[in-house]
Amino acid sequence: LEEGLTGKGNCQIYYTTYTGNGQYGVSAPNSLTFPAQPLLVVILQADGLGLRFVPGCTGVTYHRSDNYVNCAVTWSGTTLTWYCTENNALAQLNYLNHIYHVYALLQAG
């Protein structure tokens, strides 16, 4: 049994929140820094709308009501940065005073 567990448990679950500041676009990207390298990041708002990020992925497209939203994504070490080309804070998950929930799977040391 111990032999079968070797290599298991190699990630951690991480949770945090942030409050939107109402800014958006290429000149006002969102940014999150994690305590270890993320393997997967999911950001959700209260109504369930959210974004999913995977390291190495430089773009995300998601469906919001009647249209698709494109986001530019960059990774630098443990920092994720993104902005959405729809040019509004709601699409970028940065709507003023909205609380966003961040869930991540982090690579374990």
Side-chain angles (χ1 to χ4, degrees), residues 4-17:
L5 291 176
T6 303
K8 305 299 183 215
N10 57 357
C11 64
Q12 294 177 292
I13 297 173
Y14 176 80
Y15 170 78
T16 191
T17 62

Side-chain angles (χ1 to χ4, degrees), residues 3 9 23 25 33-35 37-39 45 47-48 59-61 67 74 77 81 87-89 91 94 100 109:
E3 196 173 310
Q23 298 181 9
T33 299
F34 298 90
Q37 181 63 49
L39 303 171
Q45 62 186 39
D47 67 3
V60 173
T61 300
N67 62 349
T74 58
T81 303
N87 286 327
N88 72 59
N94 203 26
Y100 296 92

